[in-house]
Amino acid sequence: MSLHVDDLLAGRSPFRAGTYRLLQYAVLLVGLAAMATMTMPALQPATRAWLEVCLWAALGFFAAELVAKCWPRTSDDGAPNYLFTGPGLIDALAVLPIPFALLAGVPADTAWLLASLWLLKLAAVVPGLSLLGRVIALEARPLGSVLVIFLIVLLLGSVALYVAERAAQAERFGSLPQSLWWAVTTLTTTGYGDAVPITFAGRLIAGIVMICGLGVFGLWTGILATGFAAEHRRRDFVRNWNLVRRVPFLRDLDPAAVIELTRMLRRIDLAERTVVVRRGRPGDCMYFIAAGEVEVQVEPQPVRLGAGAFFGEISLLEGGPRTATVVTTAPSTLLILEVSDFRAFTALHPDLAQAVEQEAASRAGAGQTTLATGTAGLADNRADK
Amino acid sequence: MSLHVDDLLAGRSPFRAGTYRLLQYAVLLVGLAAMATMTMPALQPATRAWLEVCLWAALGFFAAELVAKCWPRTSDDGAPNYLFTGPGLIDALAVLPIPFALLAGVPADTAWLLASLWLLKLAAVVPGLSLLGRVIALEARPLGSVLVIFLIVLLLGSVALYVAERAAQAERFGSLPQSLWWAVTTLTTTGYGDAVPITFAGRLIAGIVMICGLGVFGLWTGILATGFAAEHRRRDFVRNWNLVRRVPFLRDLDPAAVIELTRMLRRIDLAERTVVVRRGRPGDCMYFIAAGEVEVQVEPQPVRLGAGAFFGEISLLEGGPRTATVVTTAPSTLLILEVSDFRAFTALHPDLAQAVEQEAASRAGAGQTTLATGTAGLADNRADK
Amino acid sequence: MSLHVDDLLAGRSPFRAGTYRLLQYAVLLVGLAAMATMTMPALQPATRAWLEVCLWAALGFFAAELVAKCWPRTSDDGAPNYLFTGPGLIDALAVLPIPFALLAGVPADTAWLLASLWLLKLAAVVPGLSLLGRVIALEARPLGSVLVIFLIVLLLGSVALYVAERAAQAERFGSLPQSLWWAVTTLTTTGYGDAVPITFAGRLIAGIVMICGLGVFGLWTGILATGFAAEHRRRDFVRNWNLVRRVPFLRDLDPAAVIELTRMLRRIDLAERTVVVRRGRPGDCMYFIAAGEVEVQVEPQPVRLGAGAFFGEISLLEGGPRTATVVTTAPSTLLILEVSDFRAFTALHPDLAQAVEQEAASRAGAGQTTLATGTAGLADNRADK
Amino acid sequence: MSLHVDDLLAGRSPFRAGTYRLLQYAVLLVGLAAMATMTMPALQPATRAWLEVCLWAALGFFAAELVAKCWPRTSDDGAPNYLFTGPGLIDALAVLPIPFALLAGVPADTAWLLASLWLLKLAAVVPGLSLLGRVIALEARPLGSVLVIFLIVLLLGSVALYVAERAAQAERFGSLPQSLWWAVTTLTTTGYGDAVPITFAGRLIAGIVMICGLGVFGLWTGILATGFAAEHRRRDFVRNWNLVRRVPFLRDLDPAAVIELTRMLRRIDLAERTVVVRRGRPGDCMYFIAAGEVEVQVEPQPVRLGAGAFFGEISLLEGGPRTATVVTTAPSTLLILEVSDFRAFTALHPDLAQAVEQEAASRAGAGQTTLATGTAGLADNRADK
């Protein structure tokens, strides 16, 4: 059997990476659903048996994946063993604790709860967690400051409320830890309502704590959100920069202009056979193809554009609706330049506008009138929307 | 009867678009109110019959609208049939499901709940939904990251709380799905209070989940809010750009200055007979008329200014209160230039200030002293506020 | 009796404006407290009588104020009557409705609730409300979009939950209006907990509604907060610009630099006898006096600086702690230039740094070594903190 | 016994500052935990005695610390006594009130609650509180505006709800203060659910109050968060500026470039033996050493770099993975320049790129090929990630 695990994992053959990824998600979903159902009271023994089969199957799948990924390769490129990288650790964490817990005599019900660690596998897929970690590392000081403010408000608020309410509601505010619980639910504006002040002084204190809560909350969320946004922008800049360098046309602008343009461009990843622009719709951006291929559906026969080409500029230059429908023929990465940015950019750097116009004209001159985004004839019935 | 549906829909004659729009809103409101009232228990049969009449009337209105809009036009301009555009789909969704559900034997009470889809018609009016869709498409990666973080915190938090509380509160935290419900209400800071931890460990975990909830919440709202704001700014830029090109005066500045100015200007749409500036009030902005007409109420007789003109510059140039009241005489679109932006802009680009001053002077020289925003005499009693 | 109401209101004599303002606040506070206490059940008749006296006294005070302000002045400057300005309207709203309600036969308990309108008088003092109105006017489109999204999520969510829960909890979700109430409390993350879904489908829907709620909430708050911040910045720019023009030293920089500086400066209003800088503390900003006077406490005798002067520059130029304590001797308005801005600014515009240094040197040369912020001797023992 | 308190406090000898700081935290934690436990009902007398011992010990520790810090020094440098500085006041507040309360006859249980003031000692450590104070001072006007809006919505909302609900729920909305309590919990979106409107009018009002609450909340948090972020940025600028001046290499750029660079650099404080970059990982930033020392782990023997040096530039210049692992050998402060900023900066200021390249080349020429971040040989097997 010639099925090669390495190829499988890299998504080259015989299945596509997308298929494998979907299989992973399906196993993850089934496994977690089985784990959650296991905890329901009064299960039929048969159902229970089936759930256990699901769980063992999912565990087996993840174990096989881990073994395949750790298997020593022939080309020793000096990279550390997979087990000791971040994703490897997460994969190991998904597989190993459960059998160990079962062997150690933990009841099956409790041991299988460790399957919740499987969800961490998602963290390796999305860039979110590493970004968040970075934001927390860089904004450690302001976040730490806010945490201290939070703790101070929490403790002073709960002491004050304890003093105010302990006589009136001994069963709810009879000790400081109980009052602290109230303060946490109130400061985070969760407000369960299981412990509520009833005296006048208590309610006054509670009102102040709530308003402080809004402030603390605002600081906390504001710092995280701005840090996260800044990190995403940085990461996008680097990615876009690498993509811009693949478009010959943009690469040759002067460096300051490239920087500015890199900040303006927005990347979009599209699957195969996705409609990018539709004929007759108003056009408010142009596209550069960083990777993949698109088909411009013009008469007499469609034209294909590959990486490095651009399309959609007619609507920008002349302000009309889209003159042709463009569809991706392969998974593609496009860079979008919005009309607002295009105008702002070309006002300061007339080169790009000229280059776009020349390119469009040269295409037309070479008998490739249909290349850009439509026929010359269709470009005429444009209307200012 | 010569009433033309096309004209009616386009708002040309015999009613104004505003009237038709108001009628739509009224039908929508009555329809939705009738639907909500239908679900009340113990209705009188007579009331019920009346409500059904309202509902059928509203449905008929929307059906007639849909038919009128889909009716084939003589001028086949290659545009797709209305039914297959976004608004067409929404209109069809408002009309078709209810009769189908009734035919399929769904009880009337339940079938009429589909009338809630009528509200989607509002989405075609405001730019919000398409903007939001675009923001979600462009920010899919960070939003996806946050969603994964949310899911991880949700699952780990609920497993931990399930372990901590299952013994103490079997009826509330007896299974993982119940614990998940608690985690959702807590992470979103909704905090119904129907399931509340009572053990020490459970409360500690709950506190951590709440604080994580604030973070996740902050990321989620931060990404959406900044993306939404950026999209709005882009869209406004394009709109303002198109308006600036209608003001000869601004169009002729150098391109970089036009870009900068386009970013500064803010558009305001005013109804007929709205007071734009009032005599004697402090003036902190000047206005360019992009469309419509205004009347400057000066002695001996009011002066009218049309599209392309500007007014309100005297307060900006000389720092006094408004010297005349200005009222719109038709629905108008004005571009506002704030004093802060005016000063910042003219410091860097003295042309605009010169041009404004020249224009004002030339008006004065041509005996049109009253044109700008008041008489020269009134301009003297200005006071620095 | 020569007490002049006009002078009193303008705060010139015989009391200071601050005193009059405090009196207003006190009357407001007493009035509102009396109104709140009036609604308490089981009041003693005597207490009740006293409260009524308070309320009538406060009403009388506000009525007297209104009459005094509306009283026709000798100098008719063409300004509209006070009654028809914004603050005048608010003042009238505070005084007139209560007697009319009492005359119309409304019970006293209910009529006095109109005293809550007195609080609107605060709105005339702080710039918040007019700013907020402006933000809402300018951001009407995005806010409207979000409102429509909110309404759509609200209605669809409550219909879905009504279908899911009406069988299980007929008393709580038995009609669409009840379900709408649940949706409002959930979408705003208030979460009273009086109506909580209990079925699996209901909880799933509720979870989705909560997460949508976070998004809608984020958009709403994001738009308001950014708009409010931008308006405040604009208003501050205009105020600072007017103040900068009073400092001869700053006014003479080239226009682009003045714009940039105006954006950097932050205004602070200080009462009399406030310590601005304290000797020995690290210094991270310098001050320009826009209005008022300060006293630099140096040996052998303190030096006074008036409007147009600056101080605190030694710490910025040489990086040491403050060399003298500076105290205001009159209510003063200072413009603060932070060290970060000072360095960024002087790197690009060396004129300011030179001018500051020259001024400092010329002061020193004229034997006024003590003017800047301390003696030359004290400036030596600085340490880099 | 030669143990010198001054040295101990300054962390010079015989323990390290870190150890002393940890001891402080431990005492704080134990003290606060003991205080919280003291309030639990039904404590054993023995437990109680032990808790009191803990509390007295913590109090003694803080008292000793206070005395040590206030002890007159030989070098009278004109600085004010420690007691009258901010941290001194906090230290005094931690120590003095408890014995005074006990002497004044306050029961021990209540007196020890004052131990919650110990937490304020944390405020002296993190920069948060002073920053927050500054933000509140600078943003006093907008915050005040929002507070007034909050108060107006609060009062009008609670009056309206009182009118709507007083008949239906006399026990919950029977007086205005009760209604105010409801309004506070609702406006802050806490939503305890102890007082919930049940009439139609009441619920309508409540819905409006909630939506207003979101707006007020958004303004409040938006102002605080943006102000806090701006202050942090300012403070970081000053700190980074001071660090940049220690790197000879950066100090010599032209002033405008230094300003720009100072804004881009991000500071990170690392403990001893922390891995900064790891061989084989993708590299997305370079590092300047502001203080401390690092070890570049290359063959044949590791190289040490001190303050003023830089490393990690090979990945930036040539785009490959890290060619060597770098570990700190002492507590170090590094300045991070991200690849996005590096590219943006060098496009506008080619000097830095040149200087970095020259420095790297000169190192290589001097036979120090291993200095930068790895051997020349390793730099070849880079791959574009």
Side-chain angles (χ1 to χ4, degrees):
Chain A
M1 184 179 157
S2 70
L3 192 149
H4 213 277
V5 173
D6 228 46
D7 278 352
L8 181 69
L9 294 173
R12 279 190 292 260
S13 95
F15 308 119
R16 299 253 310 291
T19 319
Y20 182 68
R21 180 59 50 85
L22 284 180
L23 178 65
Q24 265 187 320
Y25 288 163
V27 171
L28 188 64
L29 198 69
V30 168
L32 291 178
M35 180 197 74
T37 317
M38 275 275 281
T39 64
M40 304 282 281
L43 278 183
Q44 302 287 337
T47 318
R48 204 181 157 75
W50 271 110
L51 291 173
E52 287 222 23
V53 168
C54 285
L55 285 166
W56 279 111
L59 185 64
F61 178 86
F62 291 132
E65 204 182 16
L66 178 65
V67 168
K69 282 187 181 168
C70 290
W71 206 258
R73 307 259 156 65
T74 46
S75 62
D76 190 346
D77 54 357
N81 191 299
Y82 178 71
L83 255 189
F84 301 105
T85 63
L89 220 78
I90 287 174
D91 282 2
L93 215 62
V95 171
L96 302 181
I98 298 172
F100 275 104
L102 289 172
L103 285 177
V106 174
D109 282 19
T110 305
W112 281 112
L113 289 174
L114 291 165
S116 56
L117 295 170
W118 295 349
L119 200 64
L120 292 177
K121 285 165 107 50
L122 280 184
V125 178
V126 296
L129 276 200
S130 70
L131 263 188
L132 193 66
R134 194 179 182 124
V135 169
I136 289 172
L138 282 165
E139 307 281 333
R141 281 160 173 275
L143 287 177
S145 305
V146 174
L147 202 67
V148 167
I149 297 170
F150 181 85
L151 287 176
I152 290 173
V153 174
L154 192 74
L155 190 65
L156 295 187
S158 61
V159 165
L161 205 84
Y162 166 66
V163 171
E165 295 281 326
R166 64 182 163 181
Q169 300 191 76
E171 75 289 358
R172 290 222 169 84
F173 293 93
S175 72
L176 198 55
Q178 285 180 301
S179 187
L180 271 167
W181 167 246
W182 166 84
V184 170
T185 59
T186 300
L187 258 181
T188 57
T189 77
T190 308
Y192 284 131
D194 55 338
V196 178
I198 53 172
T199 64
F200 180 75
R203 289 184 167 186
L204 203 68
I205 294 162
I208 295 166
V209 167
M210 281 171 208
I211 293 172
C212 290
L214 295 190
V216 171
F217 186 11
L219 292 177
W220 183 260
T221 58
I223 293 166
L224 271 182
T226 49
F228 199 77
E231 275 308 306
H232 246 288
R233 223 165 20 239
R234 274 170 201 273
R235 192 166 286 205
D236 281 353
F237 180 87
V238 177
R239 276 220 193 90
N240 286 353
W241 176 275
N242 290 333
L243 293 174
V244 164
R245 289 168 76 185
R246 294 193 208 156
V247 180
F249 187 71
L250 298 175
R251 203 169 45 196
D252 303 337
L253 297 167
D254 83 285
V258 174
I259 294 294
E260 206 179 321
L261 197 65
T262 302
R263 287 219 179 91
M264 285 173 171
L265 289 170
R266 295 195 286 178
R267 191 171 49 107
I268 199 162
D269 295 308
L270 297 174
E272 212 179 316
R273 311 265 2 128
T274 309
V275 175
V276 186
V277 304
R278 198 183 286 283
R279 187 177 150 236
R281 292 286 174 79
D284 55 359
C285 56
M286 66 178 289
Y287 299 87
F288 296 93
I289 306 172
E293 197 194 43
V294 303
E295 190 180 84
V296 184
Q297 296 179 340
V298 285
E299 300 296 333
Q301 60 175 39
V303 174
R304 299 206 162 193
L305 296 173
F310 60 87
F311 60 92
E313 79 286 358
I314 290 187
S315 294
L316 255 66
L317 290 173
E318 311 185 1
R322 298 295 187 196
T323 51
T325 297
V326 179
V327 179
T328 56
T329 55
S332 302
T333 300
L334 305 178
L335 295 170
I336 302 176
L337 182 60
E338 304 271 338
V339 65
S340 58
D341 294 327
F342 179 77
R343 283 182 184 157
F345 187 77
T346 51
L348 300 168
H349 305 269
D351 349 351
L352 184 73
Q354 271 182 23
V356 168
E357 278 169 32
Q358 276 175 14
E359 182 87 4
S362 79
R363 281 173 181 177
Q368 294 169 322
T369 35
T370 55
L371 246 182
T373 55
T375 62
L378 282 169
D380 289 336
N381 69 345
R382 62 187 174 260
D384 196 58
K385 293 235 170 174
Chain B
M1 184 178 156
S2 72
L3 190 150
H4 213 276
V5 174
D6 228 46
D7 277 352
L8 181 67
L9 294 173
R12 279 190 291 260
S13 95
F15 305 122
R16 298 255 308 292
T19 318
Y20 182 68
R21 182 56 52 83
L22 283 181
L23 179 64
Q24 265 188 320
Y25 288 162
V27 171
L28 188 64
L29 198 69
V30 168
L32 291 178
M35 179 197 74
T37 317
M38 274 275 280
T39 64
M40 305 281 282
L43 278 183
Q44 303 285 340
T47 318
R48 203 179 158 76
W50 271 110
L51 291 173
E52 288 221 25
V53 167
C54 286
L55 284 167
W56 280 110
L59 186 64
F61 178 85
F62 291 132
E65 202 182 17
L66 179 65
V67 168
K69 282 187 182 167
C70 291
W71 206 260
R73 308 260 156 65
T74 46
S75 62
D76 189 346
D77 54 358
N81 192 299
Y82 177 71
L83 253 189
F84 302 105
T85 63
L89 220 79
I90 287 173
D91 281 2
L93 214 61
V95 171
L96 302 182
I98 297 171
F100 274 104
L102 289 171
L103 285 177
V106 174
D109 282 19
T110 305
W112 279 113
L113 289 174
L114 291 165
S116 57
L117 295 170
W118 295 349
L119 199 64
L120 292 176
K121 284 165 111 44
L122 280 185
V125 178
V126 294
L129 274 202
S130 70
L131 262 190
L132 193 66
R134 194 178 182 127
V135 169
I136 288 172
L138 282 165
E139 306 281 333
R141 280 158 174 276
L143 287 176
S145 304
V146 175
L147 203 66
V148 167
I149 297 170
F150 181 83
L151 288 176
I152 289 173
V153 174
L154 192 73
L155 190 66
L156 296 187
S158 63
V159 165
L161 204 84
Y162 166 64
V163 171
E165 294 281 326
R166 64 181 164 182
Q169 299 192 76
E171 76 288 358
R172 289 222 168 87
F173 292 93
S175 72
L176 197 55
Q178 285 179 300
S179 186
L180 271 167
W181 167 244
W182 165 83
V184 170
T185 58
T186 299
L187 258 181
T188 57
T189 77
T190 308
Y192 284 131
D194 56 338
V196 178
I198 54 171
T199 64
F200 180 75
R203 289 183 167 187
L204 202 69
I205 295 161
I208 295 166
V209 167
M210 280 170 208
I211 294 172
C212 289
L214 296 189
V216 172
F217 186 11
L219 292 176
W220 184 260
T221 58
I223 293 166
L224 272 181
T226 50
F228 200 77
E231 275 309 306
H232 247 288
R233 220 163 24 235
R234 275 170 201 273
R235 190 166 288 204
D236 281 354
F237 180 88
V238 178
R239 278 220 191 90
N240 286 355
W241 177 275
N242 290 333
L243 294 174
V244 163
R245 291 168 75 185
R246 295 192 208 155
V247 179
F249 186 70
L250 298 175
R251 203 169 46 196
D252 303 336
L253 295 168
D254 83 285
V258 174
I259 293 293
E260 208 180 319
L261 196 66
T262 303
R263 288 219 178 91
M264 285 173 172
L265 289 169
R266 294 195 287 179
R267 190 170 49 106
I268 200 161
D269 295 308
L270 296 174
E272 211 177 317
R273 313 267 359 129
T274 309
V275 175
V276 186
V277 304
R278 197 182 285 284
R279 186 176 151 238
R281 293 286 173 80
D284 54 0
C285 56
M286 66 177 289
Y287 298 85
F288 297 94
I289 306 172
E293 197 194 44
V294 303
E295 190 180 85
V296 184
Q297 295 179 340
V298 285
E299 298 298 334
Q301 60 175 39
V303 174
R304 298 207 163 194
L305 296 173
F310 60 88
F311 60 93
E313 80 286 358
I314 289 187
S315 294
L316 254 67
L317 291 173
E318 311 185 359
R322 298 295 187 197
T323 50
T325 296
V326 179
V327 179
T328 57
T329 55
S332 302
T333 300
L334 305 179
L335 294 169
I336 302 175
L337 182 60
E338 303 273 337
V339 64
S340 58
D341 293 327
F342 179 78
R343 283 183 184 157
F345 186 78
T346 51
L348 299 168
H349 304 270
D351 348 350
L352 184 74
Q354 271 184 22
V356 167
E357 279 169 31
Q358 276 175 13
E359 183 86 5
S362 80
R363 283 173 180 177
Q368 295 169 323
T369 36
T370 55
L371 245 184
T373 55
T375 62
L378 280 170
D380 288 339
N381 69 344
R382 64 188 173 259
D384 196 56
K385 292 236 169 174
Chain C
M1 183 179 158
S2 72
L3 191 149
H4 213 276
V5 173
D6 229 44
D7 277 350
L8 182 67
L9 293 173
R12 281 190 292 260
S13 96
F15 306 121
R16 298 254 308 292
T19 318
Y20 182 68
R21 182 57 51 84
L22 282 181
L23 178 64
Q24 264 188 321
Y25 289 161
V27 171
L28 188 62
L29 197 69
V30 168
L32 292 178
M35 178 197 75
T37 317
M38 275 274 281
T39 64
M40 304 282 282
L43 279 183
Q44 303 286 340
T47 318
R48 204 181 158 77
W50 271 110
L51 292 172
E52 288 221 25
V53 167
C54 286
L55 284 166
W56 280 110
L59 186 63
F61 178 86
F62 293 131
E65 203 182 17
L66 179 66
V67 168
K69 283 187 182 168
C70 292
W71 207 259
R73 306 261 156 63
T74 47
S75 62
D76 190 346
D77 53 359
N81 191 299
Y82 177 71
L83 252 190
F84 301 105
T85 62
L89 221 78
I90 287 173
D91 282 1
L93 215 61
V95 171
L96 303 180
I98 297 171
F100 276 104
L102 288 171
L103 285 177
V106 175
D109 281 18
T110 305
W112 280 112
L113 289 175
L114 291 166
S116 57
L117 295 170
W118 294 349
L119 199 63
L120 292 176
K121 285 166 107 51
L122 279 184
V125 178
V126 295
L129 275 201
S130 70
L131 262 189
L132 193 66
R134 194 178 183 127
V135 169
I136 288 172
L138 282 165
E139 305 282 332
R141 279 158 175 276
L143 287 176
S145 304
V146 175
L147 203 66
V148 167
I149 297 171
F150 181 84
L151 287 176
I152 290 173
V153 174
L154 192 73
L155 191 65
L156 296 187
S158 62
V159 165
L161 205 84
Y162 166 64
V163 171
E165 296 280 326
R166 63 180 162 182
Q169 299 192 74
E171 76 288 359
R172 290 223 167 84
F173 293 93
S175 73
L176 198 54
Q178 285 180 301
S179 187
L180 270 167
W181 167 245
W182 166 84
V184 171
T185 59
T186 300
L187 258 180
T188 57
T189 79
T190 308
Y192 284 132
D194 56 337
V196 177
I198 53 170
T199 64
F200 180 75
R203 290 184 167 188
L204 203 69
I205 294 160
I208 295 166
V209 167
M210 282 172 208
I211 294 173
C212 290
L214 296 189
V216 171
F217 186 11
L219 292 176
W220 184 260
T221 58
I223 293 166
L224 272 181
T226 51
F228 199 77
E231 274 310 305
H232 247 287
R233 224 168 16 241
R234 274 171 201 274
R235 190 165 288 204
D236 280 353
F237 180 88
V238 177
R239 277 222 191 88
N240 286 354
W241 178 275
N242 290 333
L243 294 174
V244 164
R245 290 168 76 185
R246 294 193 209 155
V247 180
F249 188 70
L250 298 176
R251 202 169 46 197
D252 302 337
L253 294 169
D254 82 285
V258 174
I259 293 293
E260 208 179 319
L261 197 65
T262 303
R263 288 218 178 92
M264 285 173 173
L265 289 170
R266 295 194 287 179
R267 191 172 47 107
I268 199 160
D269 294 309
L270 296 174
E272 210 178 319
R273 312 273 350 135
T274 309
V275 175
V276 186
V277 303
R278 197 181 284 284
R279 185 174 152 240
R281 293 285 174 80
D284 54 359
C285 56
M286 66 178 289
Y287 299 86
F288 296 94
I289 305 171
E293 195 194 44
V294 303
E295 189 180 84
V296 184
Q297 294 178 341
V298 285
E299 299 296 334
Q301 61 175 38
V303 175
R304 298 207 164 195
L305 297 173
F310 60 88
F311 61 93
E313 79 287 356
I314 290 188
S315 293
L316 255 65
L317 291 173
E318 311 185 359
R322 298 294 188 197
T323 51
T325 297
V326 179
V327 179
T328 57
T329 54
S332 303
T333 300
L334 305 179
L335 295 169
I336 302 176
L337 182 60
E338 303 272 337
V339 65
S340 58
D341 294 328
F342 179 77
R343 284 184 183 157
F345 187 78
T346 51
L348 300 168
H349 306 271
D351 348 352
L352 183 73
Q354 271 182 23
V356 168
E357 278 169 32
Q358 276 175 14
E359 183 86 5
S362 80
R363 283 173 180 177
Q368 294 168 322
T369 36
T370 55
L371 245 181
T373 55
T375 61
L378 279 170
D380 287 337
N381 69 346
R382 64 189 173 258
D384 197 59
K385 293 236 170 173
Chain D
M1 184 177 155
S2 72
L3 192 150
H4 212 276
V5 173
D6 229 45
D7 278 350
L8 183 67
L9 294 173
R12 282 191 291 260
S13 94
F15 306 122
R16 298 253 311 290
T19 317
Y20 182 69
R21 181 58 50 85
L22 283 180
L23 179 64
Q24 265 188 319
Y25 289 163
V27 170
L28 187 63
L29 198 70
V30 167
L32 291 178
M35 179 197 76
T37 317
M38 276 274 281
T39 63
M40 305 282 280
L43 278 184
Q44 302 286 339
T47 318
R48 205 181 157 76
W50 272 109
L51 292 172
E52 288 222 23
V53 167
C54 286
L55 284 166
W56 279 109
L59 186 64
F61 178 86
F62 293 131
E65 204 182 15
L66 180 65
V67 168
K69 283 188 181 165
C70 291
W71 205 260
R73 307 260 156 65
T74 46
S75 61
D76 191 346
D77 53 358
N81 191 300
Y82 178 71
L83 253 189
F84 301 105
T85 63
L89 221 78
I90 287 173
D91 281 1
L93 215 62
V95 171
L96 302 180
I98 297 172
F100 274 104
L102 289 171
L103 284 177
V106 174
D109 282 18
T110 304
W112 280 112
L113 289 174
L114 291 166
S116 57
L117 295 171
W118 295 349
L119 199 63
L120 292 176
K121 285 167 104 53
L122 280 184
V125 177
V126 295
L129 276 200
S130 70
L131 263 188
L132 194 67
R134 195 178 182 125
V135 169
I136 289 172
L138 282 165
E139 306 281 333
R141 279 159 175 274
L143 286 177
S145 305
V146 175
L147 203 66
V148 167
I149 297 171
F150 181 85
L151 287 176
I152 290 173
V153 174
L154 192 74
L155 190 66
L156 296 186
S158 62
V159 165
L161 205 84
Y162 166 66
V163 171
E165 295 281 326
R166 63 181 164 182
Q169 300 192 75
E171 77 287 0
R172 290 223 167 83
F173 293 93
S175 73
L176 198 55
Q178 285 180 300
S179 188
L180 270 167
W181 167 245
W182 165 84
V184 170
T185 59
T186 299
L187 258 180
T188 58
T189 78
T190 308
Y192 284 133
D194 56 337
V196 177
I198 53 172
T199 64
F200 180 75
R203 290 184 167 188
L204 203 68
I205 295 161
I208 295 166
V209 167
M210 281 173 209
I211 293 173
C212 290
L214 295 190
V216 171
F217 187 9
L219 293 176
W220 184 259
T221 58
I223 293 165
L224 271 182
T226 50
F228 200 77
E231 274 310 305
H232 247 287
R233 222 164 21 238
R234 274 171 201 274
R235 190 165 287 205
D236 281 353
F237 180 88
V238 178
R239 277 221 191 90
N240 286 353
W241 177 275
N242 290 334
L243 293 175
V244 163
R245 290 169 75 185
R246 295 192 209 156
V247 179
F249 189 69
L250 299 175
R251 202 169 46 198
D252 303 337
L253 296 168
D254 84 284
V258 174
I259 293 294
E260 207 179 318
L261 197 66
T262 303
R263 287 217 179 93
M264 285 173 173
L265 289 170
R266 294 194 288 178
R267 191 172 48 106
I268 199 162
D269 295 309
L270 297 174
E272 210 178 321
R273 310 273 353 136
T274 309
V275 175
V276 186
V277 304
R278 198 182 285 284
R279 185 174 152 238
R281 292 285 174 79
D284 55 358
C285 56
M286 66 177 290
Y287 299 87
F288 297 93
I289 306 171
E293 195 194 43
V294 303
E295 189 180 85
V296 184
Q297 295 179 340
V298 286
E299 298 298 334
Q301 61 175 41
V303 174
R304 298 205 162 194
L305 297 173
F310 60 87
F311 60 92
E313 80 286 357
I314 289 188
S315 294
L316 256 67
L317 290 173
E318 311 185 0
R322 297 295 188 197
T323 51
T325 298
V326 179
V327 179
T328 58
T329 54
S332 303
T333 300
L334 305 179
L335 295 169
I336 302 176
L337 182 60
E338 303 270 338
V339 64
S340 57
D341 294 327
F342 179 77
R343 283 182 183 156
F345 186 77
T346 51
L348 300 168
H349 306 272
D351 349 350
L352 183 73
Q354 271 182 23
V356 167
E357 279 169 33
Q358 276 175 14
E359 182 86 4
S362 80
R363 283 173 180 178
Q368 294 169 323
T369 36
T370 56
L371 246 182
T373 57
T375 62
L378 280 170
D380 287 338
N381 70 344
R382 62 187 175 259
D384 196 59
K385 293 235 169 175

